[in-house]
Amino acid sequence: MTIYLDLTRAFNSGRLRTIICSGQAVVLLRLAIASKDGDWILREDQEAIDHVLSVLEAHGASYRFGAPLDLRWLRQGWSSHFQFRLGDLRVRTDFFSRPPRVPPSELQALWSAQEGKDPPFTGPHVLLRIKQTGREKDWPIVGELARLLLDVRDQMLHSRSARDLLALAKDHPDLLAGLVAERPALAVVTQGLDELRLALERERFAAMDADASRIRTYLQASELLARVWSEIEQRTAGLPLRRAHAIVVGYAERWLPTVIPATSS
Amino acid sequence: MAAHGDPRDEFLSEEDLDLRNLSFAELLAWWDLFLHQAQSSNDLDEDEYSHGVFALPRADWPWRRVAAPEAAAPRT
């Protein structure tokens, strides 16, 4: 059993509090083994936070630069980051409660669908939204995730393959017409393979730019906290995580805004 | 989808997609092996974030160009 599955079971002891997402979910969907860090969608309540902190504390985890694992920041899309050593492994654990680009209704459906699952992890529909990042390396994953979607409408809205889309359009012309407003790239299906490829690339670059802009907004908002982070590290060095957490929260209340300017999430 | 024999857009390698043919125990073994082998790059990504709202390469963080955090730390 890998450390990430062990952690997930510990996080979810007694109730579902966390859902594996991103790179480790890609492994569980059997698409690729491509990430050595773990991240989870965290249930947005205080008991879940307290439990996860206690599990991480038992592993000797410490905070990396980021927001505190606190509802005030999590509700605004911030992420919290920890790491610890386990033998020769550097284990990184990242958390957010509001994954980017995932509508609240889909997030709620994910929590419902993963209840009782071992391990709980994001399916292709949510995961491909999370993976629509500014990083080139995530887009091949998005392409394969779209092929895992069961619903034809969802395939037409998310496929990254021009060839797949042409075939879908041929088989479902009525559906295509109704989806152009939601996905403008579909408007050029009638113009053939090359034009559709170009439209898909324009769509992808726009999504990459939007994600990078979103992250820069958070980074700019975290500048003051960054300036005191070395002081935080000194004050929390060697402390059990929950004592360190209280210190991080204290600094964040002064130096890290909870609400930031509108993002595209 | 493309008909049998037609060209197909490929996103991931055959080796990646072959994970589908592993048993769950074999998948876990590969996963664990990868995690251990991937530790060799820890020094290179010490300051990097692979997830969340800091997942831009550190060199692209906007305020890193302004001042080193330690140099301009306000007092608490």
Side-chain angles (χ1 to χ4, degrees), chain A residues 5 22 24 30-33 35-37 39 64-66 77 79 81 88-90 92 94 135 140 144 147 155 161-164 167 215 218-219 223 226-228 231 251 254-255, chain B residues 1 7-9 11-12 16 19-20 22-24 28 31 34-36 38-39 41-42 45-56 61-63 69-70 72-76:
Chain A
L5 295 186
S22 207
Q24 307 311 332
R30 296 166 177 266
L31 291 182
I33 299 180
S35 174
K36 62 180 174 180
D37 302 331
D39 71 331
R64 300 185 72 210
F65 174 70
S79 54
H81 304 266
D88 63 343
L89 292 180
R90 181 194 70 190
R92 284 184 166 170
D94 305 332
R135 300 181 300 198
E144 287 297 341
R147 285 181 167 151
Q155 291 173 20
S161 163
R163 294 179 195 279
D164 289 1
I215 289 180
Y218 281 96
L219 281 168
E223 178 178 0
R227 292 185 181 194
V228 294
E231 186 175 312
Y251 275 87
R254 184 168 184 186
W255 300 114
Chain B
M1 299 298 163
R8 176 180 160 91
D9 294 322
F11 297 105
L12 295 169
D16 284 327
L19 294 176
R20 292 168 185 170
L22 300 181
S23 68
F24 192 61
L28 294 183
W31 194 356
F34 170 86
L35 290 175
H36 282 85
Q39 301 305 305
S41 61
N42 284 355
D45 57 22
E46 181 64 32
D47 294 327
E48 302 299 326
Y49 289 72
S50 40
H51 313 116
V53 297
F54 307 100
L56 276 187
W61 286 24
W63 39 262
E70 297 80 5
R75 300 303 303 170
T76 56

Coordinates of all heavy atoms in Angstrom, one line a residue, chain A residues 5 22 24 30-33 35-37 39 64-66 77 79 81 88-90 92 94 135 140 144 147 155 161-164 167 215 218-219 223 226-228 231 251 254-255, chain B residues 1 7-9 11-12 16 19-20 22-24 28 31 34-36 38-39 41-42 45-56 61-63 69-70 72-76:
Chain A
L5 N -2.3 6.1 0.0 CA -3.5 5.4 0.3 C -3.6 5.2 1.8 O -4.7 5.2 2.4 CB -3.6 4.0 -0.4 CG -3.7 4.1 -1.9 CD1 -3.8 2.7 -2.5 CD2 -4.8 5.0 -2.4
S22 N -6.1 15.0 -8.4 CA -5.0 15.3 -9.2 C -4.1 14.1 -9.5 O -4.6 13.0 -9.8 CB -4.2 16.4 -8.5 OG -3.4 17.1 -9.4
Q24 N -2.5 11.6 -8.0 CA -2.8 10.3 -7.4 C -4.1 9.7 -7.9 O -4.2 8.5 -8.1 CB -2.7 10.3 -5.9 CG -1.4 10.9 -5.3 CD -0.1 10.4 -5.9 OE1 -0.1 9.2 -6.4 NE2 0.9 11.2 -5.9
R30 N -5.8 4.8 -13.6 CA -4.9 3.9 -14.5 C -4.5 4.6 -15.8 O -4.5 3.9 -16.8 CB -5.5 2.6 -14.7 CG -5.7 1.8 -13.4 CD -6.6 0.6 -13.6 NE -6.7 -0.2 -12.3 CZ -5.9 -1.3 -12.1 NH1 -5.0 -1.7 -12.9 NH2 -6.1 -1.9 -11.0
L31 N -4.3 5.9 -15.7 CA -3.9 6.6 -16.9 C -2.4 6.8 -16.9 O -1.7 6.8 -18.0 CB -4.6 8.0 -17.0 CG -6.1 7.9 -17.2 CD1 -6.6 9.4 -17.3 CD2 -6.4 7.2 -18.5
A32 N -1.8 7.1 -15.8 CA -0.3 7.4 -15.8 C 0.1 7.5 -14.3 O -0.7 7.8 -13.4 CB 0.0 8.6 -16.5
I33 N 1.4 7.2 -14.1 CA 2.0 7.4 -12.8 C 2.9 8.6 -12.9 O 4.0 8.5 -13.5 CB 2.7 6.2 -12.2 CG1 1.8 5.0 -12.1 CG2 3.4 6.5 -10.9 CD1 2.4 3.7 -11.6
S35 N 3.0 11.7 -10.6 CA 3.2 12.7 -9.5 C 3.7 12.0 -8.3 O 3.2 11.0 -7.9 CB 1.9 13.4 -9.3 OG 2.1 14.3 -8.1
K36 N 4.6 12.6 -7.6 CA 5.1 12.1 -6.3 C 4.5 12.7 -5.1 O 4.8 12.4 -4.0 CB 6.6 12.1 -6.3 CG 7.2 13.5 -6.3 CD 8.7 13.4 -6.2 CE 9.4 14.8 -6.3 NZ 10.8 14.7 -6.3
D37 N 3.7 13.8 -5.3 CA 3.0 14.4 -4.2 C 1.6 14.0 -4.2 O 1.0 13.6 -5.2 CB 3.1 16.0 -4.4 CG 4.6 16.4 -4.5 OD1 5.5 15.7 -3.9 OD2 4.9 17.4 -5.1
D39 N -2.5 15.1 -3.2 CA -3.4 16.2 -2.8 C -4.8 15.7 -2.7 O -5.2 14.7 -3.4 CB -3.2 17.4 -3.6 CG -3.7 17.3 -5.1 OD1 -3.7 16.2 -5.6 OD2 -4.1 18.3 -5.6
R64 N 4.4 23.8 4.8 CA 5.1 24.5 3.8 C 4.5 25.9 3.6 O 3.3 26.1 4.1 CB 5.1 23.8 2.4 CG 5.7 22.4 2.5 CD 5.8 21.8 1.1 NE 6.7 22.5 0.2 CZ 6.7 22.7 -1.1 NH1 5.6 22.2 -1.7 NH2 7.6 23.3 -1.8
F65 N 5.1 26.8 2.9 CA 4.5 28.1 2.7 C 3.1 27.9 2.1 O 2.9 27.1 1.1 CB 5.4 28.9 1.7 CG 4.7 30.2 1.4 CD1 4.6 31.3 2.3 CD2 4.2 30.4 0.1 CE1 3.9 32.4 1.9 CE2 3.6 31.6 -0.3 CZ 3.5 32.6 0.6
G66 N 2.1 28.6 2.6 CA 0.8 28.5 2.1 C -0.2 29.0 3.1 O 0.2 29.6 4.2
G77 N -10.8 29.4 -1.6 CA -10.0 28.8 -2.7 C -8.6 28.6 -2.4 O -7.9 28.0 -3.2
S79 N -5.1 27.1 -0.8 CA -4.6 25.7 -0.6 C -3.6 25.7 0.6 O -2.9 26.7 0.8 CB -4.0 25.1 -1.8 OG -3.0 26.0 -2.3
H81 N -0.4 23.4 2.5 CA 0.7 22.5 2.1 C 1.5 22.0 3.3 O 2.0 22.8 4.1 CB 1.5 23.2 1.0 CG 0.7 23.7 -0.1 ND1 0.5 23.0 -1.3 CD2 0.0 24.8 -0.3 CE1 -0.3 23.7 -2.1 NE2 -0.6 24.8 -1.5
D88 N 12.9 7.0 3.4 CA 13.6 7.7 2.3 C 12.6 8.6 1.5 O 13.0 9.2 0.5 CB 14.4 6.8 1.4 CG 13.6 5.8 0.7 OD1 12.4 5.6 1.1 OD2 14.1 5.2 -0.3
L89 N 11.4 8.6 1.9 CA 10.4 9.4 1.1 C 10.2 10.8 1.7 O 10.1 10.9 2.9 CB 9.0 8.7 1.1 CG 8.9 7.4 0.3 CD1 7.4 6.9 0.5 CD2 9.2 7.5 -1.1
R90 N 10.1 11.7 0.8 CA 9.6 13.1 1.2 C 8.2 13.1 0.8 O 7.8 13.0 -0.4 CB 10.4 14.2 0.4 CG 9.9 15.6 0.8 CD 10.4 16.6 -0.2 NE 9.8 16.5 -1.5 CZ 10.2 17.1 -2.6 NH1 11.2 17.9 -2.6 NH2 9.5 17.0 -3.7
R92 N 4.7 14.9 0.5 CA 4.0 16.2 0.5 C 2.5 16.0 0.4 O 2.0 15.2 -0.4 CB 4.5 17.0 -0.7 CG 5.9 17.6 -0.5 CD 6.4 18.5 -1.6 NE 7.5 19.2 -1.1 CZ 8.3 20.0 -1.9 NH1 8.1 20.0 -3.2 NH2 9.3 20.6 -1.4
D94 N -1.1 18.1 0.1 CA -1.7 19.4 -0.3 C -3.2 19.3 -0.2 O -3.8 18.3 -0.5 CB -1.3 19.8 -1.7 CG 0.2 19.8 -1.9 OD1 0.9 20.0 -1.0 OD2 0.6 19.6 -3.1
R135 N -0.1 24.3 -17.1 CA 1.0 23.5 -17.3 C 0.8 22.6 -18.5 O -0.2 21.9 -18.5 CB 1.4 22.7 -16.1 CG 1.7 23.5 -14.9 CD 2.1 22.6 -13.7 NE 1.0 21.7 -13.3 CZ 1.0 21.1 -12.1 NH1 1.9 21.3 -11.3 NH2 0.0 20.3 -11.8
P140 N -2.2 16.4 -21.8 CA -2.4 15.0 -22.2 C -3.3 14.2 -21.3 O -4.1 13.4 -21.7 CB -1.0 14.4 -22.3 CG -0.1 15.6 -22.4 CD -0.8 16.7 -21.7
E144 N -7.0 12.3 -22.2 CA -7.4 10.9 -21.9 C -8.6 10.8 -20.9 O -9.4 9.9 -21.0 CB -6.2 10.1 -21.3 CG -5.1 9.7 -22.3 CD -5.6 8.8 -23.5 OE1 -6.7 8.2 -23.3 OE2 -5.0 8.8 -24.5
R147 N -11.8 10.9 -22.6 CA -12.2 9.6 -23.2 C -12.8 8.7 -22.2 O -13.4 7.7 -22.6 CB -11.0 9.0 -23.9 CG -10.6 9.7 -25.2 CD -9.4 9.0 -25.9 NE -9.3 9.5 -27.2 CZ -8.1 9.6 -27.9 NH1 -7.0 9.2 -27.3 NH2 -8.1 10.0 -29.1
Q155 N -18.6 14.1 -23.5 CA -17.5 13.9 -24.4 C -17.3 15.1 -25.4 O -16.2 15.5 -25.6 CB -17.7 12.6 -25.2 CG -17.6 11.3 -24.3 CD -17.9 10.1 -25.1 OE1 -17.9 10.1 -26.3 NE2 -18.3 9.0 -24.4
S161 N -9.6 15.8 -28.6 CA -9.2 15.1 -29.9 C -10.1 15.6 -31.0 O -11.3 15.4 -31.0 CB -9.3 13.6 -29.8 OG -9.3 13.0 -31.1
A162 N -9.5 16.3 -32.0 CA -10.3 16.8 -33.1 C -10.9 15.6 -33.9 O -12.1 15.6 -34.3 CB -9.4 17.6 -34.1
R163 N -10.1 14.5 -34.0 CA -10.7 13.3 -34.7 C -11.9 12.7 -33.9 O -12.9 12.4 -34.5 CB -9.6 12.2 -34.8 CG -8.5 12.6 -35.7 CD -7.4 11.5 -35.7 NE -6.2 11.9 -36.3 CZ -5.9 12.0 -37.6 NH1 -6.8 11.7 -38.5 NH2 -4.7 12.3 -38.0
D164 N -11.8 12.6 -32.6 CA -12.9 12.1 -31.8 C -14.1 13.0 -32.0 O -15.3 12.6 -32.1 CB -12.5 12.1 -30.3 CG -11.5 11.0 -30.0 OD1 -11.1 10.3 -30.9 OD2 -11.2 10.8 -28.8
A167 N -15.9 12.6 -35.3 CA -16.7 11.4 -35.3 C -18.0 11.5 -34.4 O -19.1 11.1 -34.8 CB -15.9 10.2 -34.7
I215 N -3.7 31.8 -10.6 CA -2.7 31.5 -9.6 C -1.9 32.8 -9.2 O -1.5 33.0 -8.1 CB -1.8 30.4 -10.1 CG1 -2.5 29.1 -10.1 CG2 -0.5 30.3 -9.3 CD1 -1.8 27.9 -10.6
Y218 N -3.6 34.7 -6.5 CA -3.3 34.2 -5.2 C -1.9 34.5 -4.7 O -1.7 34.9 -3.6 CB -3.6 32.7 -5.1 CG -5.0 32.3 -5.0 CD1 -5.8 32.0 -6.1 CD2 -5.7 32.3 -3.8 CE1 -7.1 31.7 -6.1 CE2 -7.0 32.0 -3.7 CZ -7.8 31.7 -4.8 OH -9.1 31.4 -4.7
L219 N -1.0 34.4 -5.6 CA 0.4 34.6 -5.3 C 0.6 36.1 -4.8 O 1.3 36.4 -3.8 CB 1.3 34.3 -6.4 CG 1.6 32.8 -6.6 CD1 2.3 32.5 -7.9 CD2 2.6 32.3 -5.5
E223 N 1.9 37.8 -0.8 CA 3.2 38.4 -0.7 C 3.6 38.8 0.7 O 4.7 38.5 1.2 CB 3.3 39.7 -1.6 CG 4.7 40.3 -1.5 CD 4.8 41.5 -2.4 OE1 3.9 41.9 -3.1 OE2 5.9 42.1 -2.4
A226 N 4.5 35.8 2.7 CA 5.8 35.3 2.3 C 7.0 36.1 3.0 O 8.0 35.5 3.3 CB 6.0 35.4 0.8
R227 N 6.7 37.4 3.2 CA 7.8 38.2 3.8 C 8.1 37.8 5.3 O 9.1 38.1 5.8 CB 7.4 39.7 3.7 CG 7.5 40.2 2.3 CD 7.2 41.7 2.2 NE 7.2 42.2 0.9 CZ 7.3 43.4 0.5 NH1 7.4 44.4 1.5 NH2 7.3 43.8 -0.7
V228 N 7.1 37.2 5.9 CA 7.3 36.8 7.3 C 7.4 35.3 7.4 O 7.5 34.8 8.6 CB 6.1 37.3 8.2 CG1 6.1 38.8 8.3 CG2 4.8 36.7 7.7
E231 N 10.3 33.9 9.4 CA 10.1 34.1 10.9 C 9.1 33.0 11.4 O 9.3 32.5 12.5 CB 9.5 35.5 11.1 CG 9.3 35.9 12.5 CD 8.9 37.4 12.6 OE1 9.4 38.2 11.9 OE2 7.9 37.6 13.4
Y251 N -0.3 34.5 12.3 CA 0.4 35.3 11.2 C -0.6 35.5 10.0 O -0.6 36.6 9.5 CB 1.6 34.6 10.8 CG 2.8 34.9 11.6 CD1 3.1 34.1 12.7 CD2 3.7 35.9 11.3 CE1 4.2 34.3 13.5 CE2 4.8 36.2 12.1 CZ 5.1 35.4 13.2 OH 6.2 35.6 14.0
R254 N -3.0 38.3 10.2 CA -2.5 39.6 10.0 C -2.0 39.8 8.5 O -2.1 40.9 8.0 CB -1.4 39.8 11.0 CG -0.8 41.2 10.9 CD 0.1 41.5 12.1 NE 0.5 42.9 12.1 CZ 1.4 43.4 12.9 NH1 1.9 42.7 13.8 NH2 1.8 44.7 12.8
W255 N -1.4 38.8 7.9 CA -0.7 39.0 6.7 C -1.3 38.3 5.4 O -0.7 38.5 4.3 CB 0.8 38.6 6.9 CG 1.5 39.3 7.9 CD1 1.9 38.7 9.1 CD2 1.8 40.7 8.0 NE1 2.5 39.7 9.9 CE2 2.5 40.9 9.2 CE3 1.6 41.7 7.1 CZ2 2.9 42.2 9.6 CZ3 2.1 43.0 7.5 CH2 2.7 43.2 8.7
Chain B
M1 N -16.5 8.1 -32.2 CA -15.0 7.9 -32.2 C -14.6 7.5 -33.6 O -15.3 7.0 -34.4 CB -14.6 6.9 -31.2 CG -15.0 7.3 -29.7 SD -14.1 8.8 -29.2 CE -15.1 9.3 -27.8
P7 N -6.6 6.8 -38.1 CA -5.7 7.3 -37.2 C -6.4 7.8 -35.9 O -7.5 8.2 -36.0 CB -5.1 8.5 -38.0 CG -5.5 8.4 -39.4 CD -6.7 7.5 -39.4
R8 N -5.7 7.8 -34.8 CA -6.2 8.2 -33.5 C -5.3 9.2 -32.9 O -4.1 9.0 -32.9 CB -6.4 7.0 -32.7 CG -6.9 7.2 -31.3 CD -7.0 5.8 -30.6 NE -7.0 5.9 -29.1 CZ -8.1 6.0 -28.4 NH1 -9.3 6.1 -29.0 NH2 -8.1 6.1 -27.1
D9 N -5.9 10.3 -32.3 CA -5.0 11.2 -31.6 C -4.6 10.5 -30.3 O -5.4 10.0 -29.5 CB -5.9 12.5 -31.2 CG -6.2 13.3 -32.5 OD1 -5.4 13.3 -33.4 OD2 -7.4 13.8 -32.5
F11 N -2.6 10.9 -26.6 CA -2.3 11.8 -25.6 C -1.2 11.3 -24.6 O -0.3 12.0 -24.2 CB -3.5 12.3 -24.8 CG -4.6 12.9 -25.6 CD1 -5.7 12.3 -26.0 CD2 -4.4 14.2 -26.0 CE1 -6.7 12.9 -26.7 CE2 -5.3 14.9 -26.8 CZ -6.5 14.2 -27.1
L12 N -1.3 10.0 -24.3 CA -0.4 9.4 -23.4 C 0.2 8.2 -24.1 O -0.3 7.7 -25.1 CB -1.1 8.9 -22.1 CG -1.7 10.1 -21.2 CD1 -2.6 9.5 -20.2 CD2 -0.5 10.9 -20.6
D16 N 2.0 4.2 -20.5 CA 1.1 4.7 -19.4 C -0.2 4.0 -19.4 O -0.7 3.6 -18.4 CB 0.9 6.2 -19.7 CG 2.1 7.1 -19.4 OD1 2.8 6.7 -18.4 OD2 2.3 8.1 -20.0
L19 N -1.3 0.6 -17.8 CA -1.6 0.5 -16.4 C -3.0 -0.2 -16.2 O -3.3 -0.9 -15.2 CB -1.7 1.8 -15.7 CG -0.4 2.6 -15.5 CD1 -0.6 4.0 -14.9 CD2 0.6 1.8 -14.7
R20 N -3.8 -0.1 -17.2 CA -5.2 -0.7 -17.2 C -5.1 -2.2 -17.1 O -6.1 -2.8 -16.7 CB -6.0 -0.2 -18.4 CG -6.3 1.2 -18.4 CD -6.8 1.7 -19.8 NE -7.0 3.2 -19.8 CZ -7.3 3.9 -20.8 NH1 -7.4 3.3 -22.0 NH2 -7.5 5.2 -20.7
L22 N -2.9 -3.9 -15.4 CA -2.3 -4.4 -14.2 C -3.4 -4.8 -13.2 O -4.5 -4.2 -13.2 CB -1.4 -3.4 -13.6 CG -0.2 -2.9 -14.4 CD1 0.5 -1.8 -13.6 CD2 0.7 -4.0 -14.8
S23 N -3.1 -5.8 -12.4 CA -4.0 -6.0 -11.2 C -3.8 -4.9 -10.2 O -2.8 -4.1 -10.4 CB -3.6 -7.3 -10.5 OG -2.3 -7.2 -9.9
F24 N -4.7 -4.7 -9.3 CA -4.5 -3.6 -8.3 C -3.2 -3.8 -7.5 O -2.5 -2.8 -7.3 CB -5.7 -3.6 -7.3 CG -5.8 -2.3 -6.5 CD1 -5.9 -1.1 -7.2 CD2 -5.7 -2.3 -5.2 CE1 -5.9 0.1 -6.4 CE2 -5.7 -1.2 -4.4 CZ -5.8 0.1 -5.0
L28 N -0.2 -1.0 -7.4 CA 0.4 -0.5 -6.2 C 1.9 -0.7 -6.2 O 2.6 0.2 -5.7 CB -0.2 -1.1 -4.9 CG -1.7 -0.9 -4.7 CD1 -2.2 -1.5 -3.4 CD2 -2.0 0.6 -4.6
W31 N 3.4 1.9 -8.5 CA 3.2 3.2 -7.9 C 4.3 3.5 -6.8 O 4.9 4.5 -6.7 CB 1.8 3.3 -7.3 CG 1.3 4.6 -6.9 CD1 1.9 5.8 -6.9 CD2 0.0 4.9 -6.4 NE1 1.1 6.8 -6.5 CE2 -0.1 6.2 -6.2 CE3 -1.1 4.1 -6.1 CZ2 -1.3 6.8 -5.6 CZ3 -2.3 4.6 -5.6 CH2 -2.4 6.0 -5.4
F34 N 7.7 3.9 -8.3 CA 7.8 5.3 -8.9 C 8.1 6.3 -7.8 O 8.9 7.2 -7.9 CB 6.5 5.6 -9.6 CG 6.5 7.1 -10.0 CD1 7.0 7.5 -11.2 CD2 5.9 8.0 -9.2 CE1 7.0 8.9 -11.5 CE2 5.8 9.4 -9.5 CZ 6.4 9.8 -10.7
L35 N 7.3 6.2 -6.7 CA 7.5 7.2 -5.6 C 8.9 7.2 -5.1 O 9.5 8.2 -4.8 CB 6.5 6.9 -4.5 CG 5.0 7.2 -4.8 CD1 4.2 6.8 -3.6 CD2 4.8 8.7 -5.1
H36 N 9.5 6.0 -4.9 CA 10.8 5.9 -4.4 C 11.8 6.4 -5.4 O 12.8 7.2 -5.1 CB 11.2 4.5 -4.0 CG 10.6 4.1 -2.6 ND1 9.3 3.6 -2.5 CD2 11.1 4.2 -1.4 CE1 9.0 3.4 -1.2 NE2 10.1 3.7 -0.5
A38 N 11.3 8.6 -7.7 CA 11.1 10.0 -7.9 C 11.8 10.9 -6.8 O 11.9 12.1 -7.0 CB 9.6 10.3 -8.0
Q39 N 12.2 10.3 -5.8 CA 12.9 11.0 -4.7 C 14.2 11.6 -5.2 O 14.7 12.5 -4.6 CB 13.1 10.2 -3.5 CG 11.8 9.6 -2.9 CD 10.8 10.6 -2.5 OE1 11.1 11.5 -1.8 NE2 9.6 10.4 -3.1
S41 N 14.7 13.5 -7.5 CA 14.6 14.9 -7.9 C 14.1 15.9 -6.8 O 13.8 17.0 -7.1 CB 13.6 15.0 -9.1 OG 12.3 14.6 -8.7
N42 N 14.2 15.4 -5.6 CA 13.7 16.2 -4.5 C 14.5 17.6 -4.4 O 13.9 18.6 -4.1 CB 13.9 15.5 -3.1 CG 12.8 14.4 -3.0 OD1 11.9 14.4 -3.8 ND2 12.9 13.7 -1.9
D45 N 13.1 20.1 -6.9 CA 11.8 20.7 -6.7 C 11.5 21.1 -5.3 O 10.3 21.2 -4.9 CB 10.7 19.8 -7.3 CG 10.7 18.4 -6.6 OD1 11.2 18.3 -5.5 OD2 10.2 17.5 -7.3
E46 N 12.6 21.3 -4.5 CA 12.4 21.7 -3.1 C 11.4 22.8 -2.9 O 10.6 22.9 -2.0 CB 13.8 22.0 -2.5 CG 13.7 22.3 -1.0 CD 13.3 21.2 -0.2 OE1 13.5 20.0 -0.5 OE2 12.6 21.4 0.9
D47 N 11.5 23.9 -3.8 CA 10.7 25.1 -3.6 C 9.5 25.1 -4.5 O 8.8 26.1 -4.5 CB 11.6 26.3 -3.9 CG 12.7 26.5 -2.9 OD1 12.5 26.1 -1.8 OD2 13.8 27.0 -3.4
E48 N 9.2 24.0 -5.2 CA 8.1 24.0 -6.1 C 6.8 23.4 -5.5 O 6.9 22.7 -4.6 CB 8.5 23.2 -7.4 CG 9.7 23.7 -8.1 CD 9.6 25.1 -8.6 OE1 8.5 25.5 -9.0 OE2 10.6 25.9 -8.6
Y49 N 5.7 23.8 -6.1 CA 4.4 23.3 -5.7 C 3.8 22.6 -6.9 O 3.7 23.2 -8.0 CB 3.5 24.5 -5.2 CG 3.9 25.0 -3.9 CD1 5.1 25.8 -3.8 CD2 3.2 24.8 -2.8 CE1 5.5 26.4 -2.6 CE2 3.6 25.3 -1.5 CZ 4.7 26.1 -1.5 OH 5.1 26.6 -0.2
S50 N 3.3 21.4 -6.7 CA 2.7 20.7 -7.8 C 1.2 20.9 -7.8 O 0.5 20.5 -8.8 CB 3.1 19.3 -7.9 OG 3.1 18.7 -6.6
H51 N 0.6 21.4 -6.7 CA -0.9 21.5 -6.7 C -1.2 22.8 -6.0 O -0.4 23.4 -5.3 CB -1.5 20.4 -5.9 CG -1.1 19.0 -6.2 ND1 -0.4 18.2 -5.4 CD2 -1.2 18.3 -7.4 CE1 -0.1 17.1 -5.9 NE2 -0.6 17.1 -7.2
G52 N -2.5 23.2 -6.1 CA -3.0 24.3 -5.3 C -2.7 25.7 -5.9 O -2.3 25.8 -7.1
V53 N -2.8 26.7 -5.1 CA -2.8 28.1 -5.7 C -1.4 28.7 -5.7 O -1.2 29.9 -6.0 CB -3.7 29.0 -4.9 CG1 -5.1 28.6 -5.0 CG2 -3.3 29.1 -3.4
F54 N -0.4 27.8 -5.5 CA 1.0 28.3 -5.6 C 1.7 27.5 -6.7 O 3.0 27.5 -6.8 CB 1.8 28.1 -4.3 CG 1.1 28.8 -3.2 CD1 0.3 28.0 -2.3 CD2 1.1 30.2 -3.0 CE1 -0.4 28.6 -1.2 CE2 0.5 30.8 -2.0 CZ -0.3 30.0 -1.1
A55 N 1.0 26.8 -7.6 CA 1.6 25.9 -8.5 C 2.0 26.6 -9.8 O 1.6 26.2 -10.9 CB 0.6 24.7 -8.9
L56 N 2.8 27.6 -9.6 CA 3.6 28.1 -10.7 C 5.1 27.9 -10.4 O 5.4 27.9 -9.2 CB 3.4 29.6 -10.9 CG 2.2 30.2 -11.6 CD1 2.3 31.7 -11.7 CD2 2.1 29.6 -13.0
W61 N 6.9 33.4 -9.8 CA 6.1 34.0 -8.7 C 6.3 35.5 -8.9 O 7.5 36.0 -8.9 CB 6.6 33.5 -7.4 CG 6.1 32.1 -7.0 CD1 5.9 31.1 -7.9 CD2 6.0 31.6 -5.8 NE1 5.5 30.0 -7.3 CE2 5.6 30.2 -5.9 CE3 6.1 32.1 -4.5 CZ2 5.3 29.4 -4.9 CZ3 5.8 31.2 -3.4 CH2 5.4 29.9 -3.6
P62 N 5.2 36.3 -8.9 CA 5.3 37.7 -9.2 C 6.2 38.5 -8.2 O 7.0 39.4 -8.6 CB 3.9 38.2 -9.3 CG 3.1 37.1 -8.5 CD 3.8 35.8 -8.8
W63 N 6.0 38.2 -7.0 CA 6.7 39.1 -6.0 C 8.1 38.6 -5.7 O 8.9 39.3 -5.0 CB 5.9 39.2 -4.7 CG 5.2 37.9 -4.3 CD1 3.9 37.6 -4.5 CD2 5.8 36.8 -3.6 NE1 3.7 36.4 -3.9 CE2 4.8 35.9 -3.4 CE3 7.1 36.6 -3.1 CZ2 5.0 34.7 -2.7 CZ3 7.3 35.4 -2.4 CH2 6.3 34.4 -2.2
P69 N 11.8 37.5 0.2 CA 10.9 37.6 1.4 C 11.6 38.0 2.7 O 11.2 38.8 3.4 CB 10.2 36.2 1.5 CG 10.3 35.7 0.1 CD 11.5 36.2 -0.5
E70 N 12.8 37.4 2.9 CA 13.5 37.6 4.1 C 14.0 39.1 4.2 O 14.2 39.6 5.2 CB 14.7 36.7 4.2 CG 14.4 35.2 4.3 CD 14.0 34.6 2.9 OE1 14.2 35.3 1.9 OE2 13.6 33.5 2.8
A72 N 12.6 41.9 3.3 CA 11.7 42.9 3.5 C 10.6 42.5 4.6 O 9.5 43.0 4.5 CB 11.0 43.3 2.2
A73 N 11.0 41.7 5.5 CA 10.0 41.1 6.4 C 9.5 42.2 7.3 O 10.3 42.8 8.1 CB 10.6 40.0 7.2
P74 N 8.2 42.4 7.3 CA 7.6 43.3 8.3 C 7.7 42.7 9.7 O 7.7 41.5 9.8 CB 6.2 43.5 7.9 CG 5.9 42.3 7.1 CD 7.1 41.9 6.5
R75 N 7.7 43.4 10.7 CA 7.7 42.9 12.1 C 6.3 42.6 12.6 O 5.4 43.3 12.2 CB 8.4 43.9 13.1 CG 9.8 44.2 12.7 CD 10.7 43.0 12.6 NE 10.7 42.2 13.8 CZ 11.3 41.0 13.9 NH1 11.8 40.4 12.9 NH2 11.2 40.4 15.1
T76 N 6.2 41.5 13.3 CA 4.9 41.2 13.8 C 4.8 41.6 15.3 O 5.8 41.8 16.0 CB 4.6 39.7 13.8 OG1 5.7 39.0 14.4 CG2 4.5 39.2 12.3

